Amino acid sequence: DFQSITHPDDVNSDIQNVKKMIEGEIRTYQMEKRYLHKKGHEVWGLLSVSLTKDSQGTPLHFVSQIVDLSEQKAALKKRLLNHM
């Protein structure tokens, strides 16, 4: 599951969004979050999630898309450091 590879500081906000989706408070959500690579480093991603339901409104499946933001984050960090 995605929570097991999510950075500990990002797990709670992700879980809260999932609960809101299941309860029908929101239809989708998107967030930047960090994942833990198996080699130990962080990988930034843009997570987009929606929830499919059956005709009675029972949740069936989460549909998730993750875009790797690592290069963008590294470039931004480099620019910020160059301006200091």
Side-chain angles (χ1 to χ4, degrees), residues 3-82:
Q3 303 311 332
S4 66
I5 60 170
T6 297
H7 189 282
D9 293 343
D10 296 336
V11 171
N12 189 48
S13 58
D14 199 12
I15 289 173
Q16 292 305 314
N17 283 323
V18 167
K19 286 180 182 178
K20 288 178 183 178
M21 284 181 63
I22 291 172
E23 293 169 359
E25 293 179 37
I26 59 175
R27 295 185 65 194
T28 64
Y29 74 93
Q30 189 175 67
M31 65 182 283
E32 287 187 11
K33 63 185 267 190
R34 293 160 290 178
Y35 293 93
L36 302 174
H37 191 279
K38 64 183 175 182
K39 293 183 179 178
H41 63 276
E42 294 177 358
V43 178
W44 276 96
L46 176 63
L47 173 66
S48 301
V49 182
S50 60
L51 179 63
T52 60
K53 299 179 180 182
D54 65 16
S55 58
Q56 286 78 36
T58 303
L60 295 174
H61 305 283
F62 288 103
V63 179
S64 302
Q65 178 183 12
I66 303 169
V67 176
D68 186 348
L69 298 178
S70 299
E71 288 183 26
Q72 293 92 326
K73 291 286 187 179
L76 177 62
K77 184 176 182 178
K78 185 177 179 180
R79 273 183 273 160
L80 291 173
L81 290 174
N82 287 336

